[in-house]
Amino acid sequence: MTAVTPTTTSRPRALTFGNVWLSVILVAILFIYPFVFGKTLNFGISTLLFAGFAMSWNILGGWAGQTSLGHAALLGIGAYAMTLLATPERLPPFLSSPLAPWWGALVGMVIAVAVAAVWGWLTFRLQGSYFALSTIAVALVIRLIAINSNWTGGAEGLFMPDLPRPFGLDLFDRNVEYWLAFAFVVLTLVITHFIRRSRMGYALQAVREDEDGARALGIDPARMKLLAFMLSAALMALGGSLYALYLQAFEPHTILELPLSIQIALLAIIGGRTTIQGPLIGALVLSIFGEVFRNVFSSANLLIYGVLILLVTLFAPNGIMGLFQRAGSKLGTAR
Amino acid sequence: MDGVAVTAFFQTLVQGLLTGGLYALIGTGLSLIFGVMKIINFAHGDFLAIGMFITLALFKAFNLDPYLSLLVAAPLGFGLGYVIQRFVLARLGDRLGEGSLLATLGLGLIISNTLLLGFGAQPQSINVPYAINTFKFGGVQVSVSLLIAGIGTVLAISALNLVLYRTELGRAIRATAQNPLGAELQGVKTANIQAIVFGLGVSFAAIAGVLLMPLLYTFPTVGENYVTKAFIVTVLGGLGNLPGAVVGGLVLGVIESMGAFYISNNYRDAYGLIVFLLVLLLRPEGLFGKTVKRV
């Protein structure tokens, strides 16, 4: 049993403070985006949603260090719940207010949290790659249910029905969707900042670095990992609801497949899973890369993910943020 | 049970065993790699896809009989695996555990997307006249290509066993699996052995791809379906346990085939996944392995 290395737990205060400013700068950039690039809102929305997914994944995958390769299932739960309950006939009359589509998002979050609780309770005794394998299996079972059930629309998937306009907002308007995705990213960012400085955040990092050591300090690793998984699931499902709004129509093939789960995990890892803004930066960088290379590689857009993850694994184990931090500390010592 | 039901039962069983044989072949490569390096190769399905596309390309270019592609795919797979271990995985050093998951995921994405660039997303198949022929034993029908695949599986796994238990290389491999440091001290060049083992594992995936090609369509992400089968097989048999992988493959094939026939064909893939999860949770050492220490 080795002690938790002090470098990960006692960070200089100045660096943490700088971290907040980095978040503020990133949010400011995202805030300005629609005013400057109003013509490419689709790109902005999908980038933001994936940034949010990656940050949600990171609560479990980065802070708790549990590499899940099945998170698309949780995203899918959110998307399905929102779409199914957006049909007024499926809701009790007193809920069929203009807020109707959002009840679905809420239900999706509750279901996702419940699924995560059972899922985590079953699988957290497995370590490392075994845990990753089990998440693939659970996600594939959920996918099979979606494909073979009638109420999910089977392999054809679902269409988002006509939606009421809460406060006069057209939810199919790209501008509205951009700000919803923006709010999702800000929410996830604020929550991760909050966790970072909380007792739970320190406990999670201790669990990630050394489970036995954490237990010796009086932390219950299983409980901490479960909490992280449930929080991660709730945010994933919320993001999934927004993704369903953005897509308007989806099928199990697009929203529940393994490559989507892998893509989300890789965004966070390439960006830097041990940092707060890493997943956000990973999503921004990879979206831009993907856009640039789209003409070159057309549908083979995941090629760039493959190349980058290989480079990051070999040369920058802490991701893009890790590179920044290393460069920053070198500058610091040079001065 | 009347005669028809008995025939149907045996038909399902034979079908399951033969498909299971192929799963065993895919799983053996994965299990071999795990046994020696203690890593799970997430690109295994994509190496299988490489085998399929080599067969497809040679057939299209030279009208080469699919089974002759083995002569190209097996050594090429070996070389590829050797190089990947030498120049990628070996560089991870003490970060091999977590790093190998990411590195092999990345390699898999590179392979499947390169295939997509080269061959397009459209499912493709090859047409050999004997592929549609069937054998008949009693009332049980078996397609010729599935039978050939079954025989190929038996031959490949037997050959691997001969190498492992009858040759000096095999001794070195087993020594490296048991205790890398001890083997190194005895003069075994473990870095080289690990590269050979990774090469053998990839080669087995490629061989499985060749044997599958006359039976199926191929497309760049075809490996995804099979990599999960390989995971199931190896976990069923116990990771790193080669005879276990064979039995695990057969069990998976039969479970799928029986479930599809007697319960519902729609959930064909689910039966294996559920058994997989149960075994992973209740007996991580595998169905047939003796209790080993948890990894």
Side-chain angles (χ1 to χ4, degrees), chain A residues 96-151:
Chain A
S96 301
S97 66
L99 279 177
W102 300 107
W103 299 124
L106 211 60
V107 170
M109 287 168 80
V110 172
I111 298 174
V113 169
V115 168
V118 179
W119 182 342
W121 179 69
L122 282 172
T123 53
F124 277 141
R125 71 190 83 173
L126 300 166
Q127 305 285 322
S129 300
Y130 285 83
F131 175 75
L133 284 184
S134 72
T135 57
I136 293 177
V138 174
L140 284 177
V141 171
I142 291 175
R143 169 180 160 274
L144 277 168
I145 295 171
I147 288 179
N148 291 306
S149 304
N150 283 328
W151 54 273

Side-chain angles (χ1 to χ4, degrees), chain A residues 122 125 130 148 273 309 313, chain B residues 95 98 239 266 281 294:
Chain A
L122 282 172
R125 71 190 83 173
Y130 285 83
N148 291 306
R273 65 198 301 188
I309 194 64
T313 323
Chain B
R95 291 187 292 113
E98 179 79 335
L239 276 160
N266 289 343
L281 297 173
R294 291 277 296 273

Side-chain angles (χ1 to χ4, degrees), chain A residues 27-64:
Chain A
V27 168
I29 293 171
L30 299 175
F31 182 83
I32 297 166
Y33 179 87
F35 302 107
V36 183
F37 301 102
K39 294 240 164 60
T40 55
L41 276 179
N42 279 339
F43 172 73
I45 298 166
S46 68
T47 305
L48 279 180
L49 288 175
F50 274 85
F53 296 150
M55 285 195 288
S56 310
W57 180 90
N58 204 42
I59 296 174
L60 179 69
W63 297 101

Side-chain angles (χ1 to χ4, degrees), chain A residues 156-179:
Chain A
E156 272 118 67
L158 295 173
F159 271 100
M160 188 63 89
D162 280 338
L163 294 177
R165 297 185 168 206
F167 314 112
L169 294 175
D170 178 2
L171 293 174
F172 292 142
D173 179 349
R174 288 301 188 218
N175 271 299
V176 174
E177 284 172 5
Y178 184 88
W179 293 114

Side-chain angles (χ1 to χ4, degrees), chain B residues 206-251:
Chain B
I207 290 172
V210 173
L211 294 177
L212 273 171
M213 196 55 220
L215 288 161
L216 290 168
Y217 287 96
T218 188
F219 44 96
T221 51
V222 68
E224 231 175 78
N225 304 332
Y226 290 94
V227 77
T228 29
K229 307 280 184 214
F231 292 157
I232 297 174
V233 164
T234 41
V235 169
L236 283 185
L239 276 160
N241 177 342
L242 292 189
V246 175
V247 182
L250 296 178
V251 168

Side-chain angles (χ1 to χ4, degrees), chain A residues 226-251:
Chain A
L226 209 56
L227 276 177
F229 199 1
M230 285 156 71
L231 184 56
S232 173
L235 290 171
M236 268 329 267
L238 179 63
S241 302
L242 299 179
Y243 198 37
L245 273 181
Y246 169 69
L247 293 174
Q248 291 177 29
F250 59 85
E251 43 182 10

Side-chain angles (χ1 to χ4, degrees), chain B residues 2 7 19-20 24 32 63 65 67 73 122 148 153 155 178 192 208 210 237 295:
Chain B
D2 55 31
T7 311
T19 326
L32 180 69
N63 210 13
D65 186 273
Y67 297 108
Q122 218 49 37
I148 296 177
T153 300
L155 288 178
Q178 268 174 18
N192 190 42
V210 173
V295 182

